[in-house]
Amino acid sequence: MSPPKPVRKAVFPVAGLGTRFLPATKAVPKEMLTILDKPVIQYAVDEARQAGIEHFVFVTGRNKAVIEDHFDFQYELHDTLEKRGKQEALDILAKYQPDAGTTSFTRQQKPLGLGHAVWCAREIIGDEPFALLLPDMVMKDKKGCLSGMMDLFRETGGNIIATEEVAWAETHKYGVIERGNDRGAGFEITGMVEKPKPGTAPSNLFINGRYILQPEIFDLLEKQKPGAGNEIQITDAMQKLAKTQQFFGHLFTGNTYDCGSKEGFIRANLAFALDDPELSADLLVEISKLTT
Ligand code: G1P
């Protein structure tokens, strides 16, 4: 078997309104709220870069222009820092600066669901496999969830979905997969369902927001009718694609924080701060003060 076409591009759907964080998200997109010193979106982009992604495709919406600014080269800032000899700050900017021509932005004109947002990237992705990262799901892991998926993809080709175990009582909040036989470092996926009714989930392995998909998904998304929540769901289109192509599961064992919720967002801030040698000692003292 010839090796699968490489995964060079990643899609980041960032059109959501972020109503759970109002009023913070009235003028600032939820993806720009910060976990420690980086905006939420930066974590998914870093994970993609670590996995070898070369082109970053953002599906934005109204009021999201600042995301584009964040990934642009800020000439005035750069110039001022240089004149002031602020090398440390310049190094930070350089570390996170995507190369010219490696980002693309397109708009999801109507909020019709995640599947529709992904479909909006079809022209930029073209005829090659691509990664999909939902930036609300912030992952903390040395290797990176997408890197683990890429290893599996090089072995199996096809489509890859990252999964994690969740309490059975929580399965109705997510997409859930049915696990088949082991395959390489992962396993075959024999079924999937978006937001199963309580008590009906085929497993407690939920889809954690990281995917590698073949471009044939776009034609299916184009025809996809609204599903759960009356939205066009990526899971429903993947279910159809699974009739003609293989899907494999990667079990992610790092930490995931759902930063679409306040609780997940605070947890993520705590986890990254406690990992920072400059902050952890004082923070632990503060936490113990607050909790005793
Ligand atoms: C989306 C996906 C779902 C996945 C979840 C992970 O749902 O449709 O399959 O489990 O992201 O966060 P949403 O969070 O948009 O409701």
Side-chain angles (χ1 to χ4, degrees):
M1 195 182 83
S2 56
K5 264 195 190 174
V7 180
R8 301 185 309 117
K9 300 179 184 174
V11 175
F12 303 86
V14 289
L17 295 176
T19 44
R20 279 190 278 178
F21 281 92
L22 282 170
T25 48
K26 221 176 134 190
V28 176
K30 64 174 173 163
E31 297 80 9
M32 290 303 292
L33 300 179
T34 56
I35 298 171
L36 222 54
D37 49 7
K38 293 193 286 183
V40 166
I41 182 66
Q42 187 74 55
Y43 287 85
V45 167
D46 289 351
E47 182 188 328
R49 197 138 75 152
Q50 184 188 2
I53 293 297
E54 297 165 10
H55 195 112
F56 307 86
V57 182
F58 301 87
V59 182
T60 71
R62 294 165 61 78
N63 299 324
K64 301 277 182 165
V66 69
I67 297 177
E68 193 164 344
D69 291 342
H70 175 73
F71 291 105
D72 194 6
F73 182 77
Q74 301 287 0
Y75 177 76
E76 293 83 355
L77 176 61
H78 196 271
D79 195 45
T80 309
L81 292 174
E82 223 165 31
K83 281 187 183 135
R84 294 187 185 165
K86 301 267 185 203
Q87 196 51 47
E88 213 175 307
L90 284 165
D91 290 346
I92 292 172
L93 290 183
K95 183 171 170 197
Y96 295 104
Q97 181 65 58
D99 290 337
T102 62
T103 53
S104 294
F105 297 84
T106 186
R107 281 197 178 194
Q108 183 186 23
Q109 296 170 342
K110 292 180 188 168
L112 299 179
L114 175 60
H116 177 258
V118 175
W119 176 75
C120 291
R122 69 200 179 283
E123 297 282 338
I124 305 172
I125 296 299
D127 189 25
E128 52 184 277
F130 64 99
L132 168 63
L133 296 92
L134 310 189
D136 275 357
M137 303 303 265
V138 169
M139 293 177 188
K140 190 165 177 298
D141 183 54
K142 214 162 183 214
K143 182 168 173 81
C145 182
L146 189 61
S147 295
M149 296 166 73
M150 291 284 217
D151 288 349
L152 180 60
F153 179 75
R154 280 185 281 268
E155 237 178 292
T156 60
N159 300 267
I160 313 278
I161 301 178
T163 66
E164 285 175 50
E165 283 187 13
V166 67
W168 283 90
E170 306 275 298
T171 47
H172 65 282
K173 296 183 184 165
Y174 299 101
V176 177
I177 62 102
E178 184 180 75
R179 182 179 180 145
N181 294 329
D182 287 353
R183 179 72 178 267
F187 51 87
E188 288 166 11
I189 290 178
T190 48
M192 57 189 99
V193 51
E194 183 64 23
K195 310 221 165 57
K197 297 222 159 60
T200 67
S203 78
N204 67 337
L205 292 176
F206 84 101
I207 299 173
N208 75 1
R210 300 292 184 267
Y211 314 74
I212 294 174
L213 295 170
Q214 295 293 335
E216 286 75 20
I217 195 78
F218 291 122
D219 279 348
L220 296 167
L221 283 171
E222 185 155 346
K223 293 182 217 115
Q224 186 60 51
K225 299 260 171 348
N230 204 26
E231 295 191 339
I232 297 174
Q233 296 289 352
I234 188 84
T235 309
D236 294 344
M238 292 194 301
Q239 218 171 12
K240 292 203 181 104
L241 187 57
K243 290 185 182 143
T244 55
Q245 294 189 10
Q246 284 188 297
F247 275 75
F248 302 97
H250 165 71
L251 187 63
F252 179 60
T253 52
N255 293 306
T256 298
Y257 304 96
D258 180 358
C259 293
S261 79
K262 284 178 198 165
E263 193 207 331
F265 180 72
I266 303 285
R267 273 177 194 244
N269 264 292
L270 264 180
F272 283 96
L274 287 173
D275 224 21
D276 184 327
E278 278 181 28
L279 298 174
S280 61
D282 285 352
L283 191 56
L284 280 171
V285 172
E286 187 62 23
I287 292 171
S288 112
K289 260 199 249 165
L290 289 170
T291 50
T292 47

